[in-house]
Amino acid sequence: MALYVYKFGGTSVGSVERIKSVAEKVKKVQDQGDQIIVVLSAMSGETNRLIALAKQMQTQPTDREMDVLISTGEQVTVALLCMALHELGCKATSYTGTQVKILTDSAFTKARIREIEDIKIRADLDGGKIVVVAGFQGVDEQGNITTLGRGGSDTTAVALAAALKADECHIYTDVDGVYTTDPRVEPKARRLNHITFEEMLEMASLGSKVLQIRSVEFAGKYNVALRVLSSFKEGCGTLITYEESQMESALISGIAFNRDEAKLTITGVPDLPGVAYKILGPIADANIEVDMIVQNIADDATTDFTFTVDRNNYQRAKAILEESCVELGARKVTGDNAIVKVSIVGVGMRSHAGIASMMFKTLASEGINIRMIATSEIKISVVVDEKYLELAVRALHAAFELDQITAEA
Ligand code: ADP
Ligand code: ASP
Ligand code: MG
């Protein structure tokens, strides 16, 4: 007898009919004699709707109250699924994060899971019940409701799979696996049969929202067999593995992009020790995360300093930088919040030279100006103007022959 954790995302539970078909799918697992824990998201659009409601009450609601509010969407779907299962004659019980209990830290809206109690779940499974758990939420030591960040139901599922030593964790979504890039941007994107944890982690952290980053970290750390599949279409999906890609010749595995980027530049900064700290210190103190950083020395013993931040933090970061500009006696601050980051990812890069130049050549031949570049062992990221996003992704997809990848069944 195997134990499975199945997670269904927002679109997969977006209507009464869809919840009913999830119930049918779940019942099949039990009918074949296996045990199953189901993790659900809120109905599609629900979390956004709740966030919009909050904004109508207060411009800056407290994170604690936000979590009390946005955790409700998942409570609705778990109850509805249990009703659908009961209707099919199955024994099933729903649990909120608090009821399980999924213990987290107190970082509201981005809490981390510390521990999962498995007593009730085990007892239910052993009693022949289907266990249905609300994704995305937990509870802190003080009993406050917390949430795990957008897309957090993926992490709930993987964490439960790790805690209960499930045989497999299936993430059911509206695409039939992990693709070479977001199929909404490049229709020629191909499904990958396998992708390594390392690559998936890069893809997720560089903007591919198909899996929440923390879920991939968790799966890698606790050795959870993780698969992404479609709720609507039969198929084997994409397995996240430890092994290198089966496709020996593939130079890169995928293209990720992030639209939520903005960049800031401070020019004419006196080039002295401690300058980077003086510029970035106040930004960090304001809890603003900095991603790429570039510093360039000019002829006149001054330096230009550019960095990127999340677009939501652009105005705040710019105001802080303008203060630093006066303090440092720098020339001026400029910024641009209509930029995006496009990245190519692949373990194949380690053993192949010339990948970066091929990327730059491809972008140049499309007349796309590269504003910033960052590289690591298995990825190359460029910042380009927002209007070039689709063009850049499609050109790179073709240049690296990602549309030629054949995922064997
Ligand atoms: P769910 O609600 O099921 O959690 P998400 O919207 O969070 O679904 O994730 C699925 C979406 O991720 C897809 O519809 C697709 O547009 C997007 N996506 C981005 N990058 C990729 C990729 N490389 N492969 C597959 N899907 C991707
Ligand atoms: N409902 C939450 C969100 O929309 C969590 C999830 O779907 O994974 O972000
Ligand atoms: Mg998701």
Side-chain angles (χ1 to χ4, degrees), residues 7 9-11 172-175 177-179 181-184 203 208-210:
K7 177 253 168 178
T11 351
Y172 288 96
T173 182
D174 56 1
V175 272
V178 177
Y179 275 64
T181 192
D182 189 340
R184 288 183 211 212
M203 291 280 281
S208 298
K209 297 194 171 108
V210 59

Side-chain angles (χ1 to χ4, degrees), residues 158-343:
V158 176
L160 276 167
L164 282 113
K165 301 193 173 52
D167 294 279
E168 274 196 40
C169 180
H170 289 187
I171 307 288
Y172 288 96
T173 182
D174 56 1
V175 272
D176 62 344
V178 177
Y179 275 64
T180 46
T181 192
D182 189 340
R184 288 183 211 212
V185 165
E186 171 52 290
K188 290 192 197 127
R190 303 297 295 258
R191 181 177 63 82
L192 296 164
N193 240 359
H194 303 90
I195 185 166
T196 65
F197 277 109
E198 228 183 337
E199 289 170 324
M200 194 62 238
L201 205 53
E202 284 286 1
M203 291 280 281
S205 55
L206 294 167
S208 298
K209 297 194 171 108
V210 59
L211 284 177
Q212 200 198 30
I213 308 171
R214 283 184 192 164
S215 71
V216 187
E217 281 170 358
F218 238 105
K221 192 165 162 195
Y222 295 99
N223 209 350
V224 175
L226 185 61
R227 203 180 269 284
V228 177
L229 319 97
S230 163
S231 300
F232 310 112
K233 200 169 133 187
E234 287 298 312
C236 58
T238 302
L239 183 68
I240 326 288
T241 60
Y242 284 102
E243 293 99 59
E244 303 260 307
S245 166
Q246 307 284 302
M247 294 151 301
E248 301 274 304
S249 59
L251 295 176
I252 69 166
S253 299
I255 302 171
F257 53 84
N258 188 358
R259 298 178 201 266
D260 308 324
E261 301 267 342
K263 77 178 168 66
L264 287 156
T265 301
I266 177 166
T267 51
V269 190
D271 191 16
L272 302 165
V275 158
Y277 173 64
K278 282 190 184 141
I279 294 169
L280 294 179
I283 303 278
D285 292 343
N287 236 328
I288 298 175
E289 242 177 81
V290 169
D291 179 18
M292 287 188 189
I293 304 170
V294 174
Q295 188 189 340
N296 247 333
I297 303 153
D299 286 341
D300 59 354
T302 68
T303 173
D304 296 346
F305 201 93
T306 302
F307 57 91
T308 60
V309 293
D310 190 284
R311 212 176 274 183
N312 286 328
N313 292 325
Y314 175 66
Q315 297 300 349
R316 246 175 4 116
K318 193 155 183 245
I320 295 169
L321 202 58
E322 267 152 9
E323 274 176 35
S324 307
C325 182
V326 177
E327 263 167 49
L328 290 164
R331 202 174 307 125
K332 66 170 189 234
V333 171
T334 52
D336 189 348
N337 63 355
I339 54 147
V340 292
K341 180 167 72 175
V342 177
S343 313

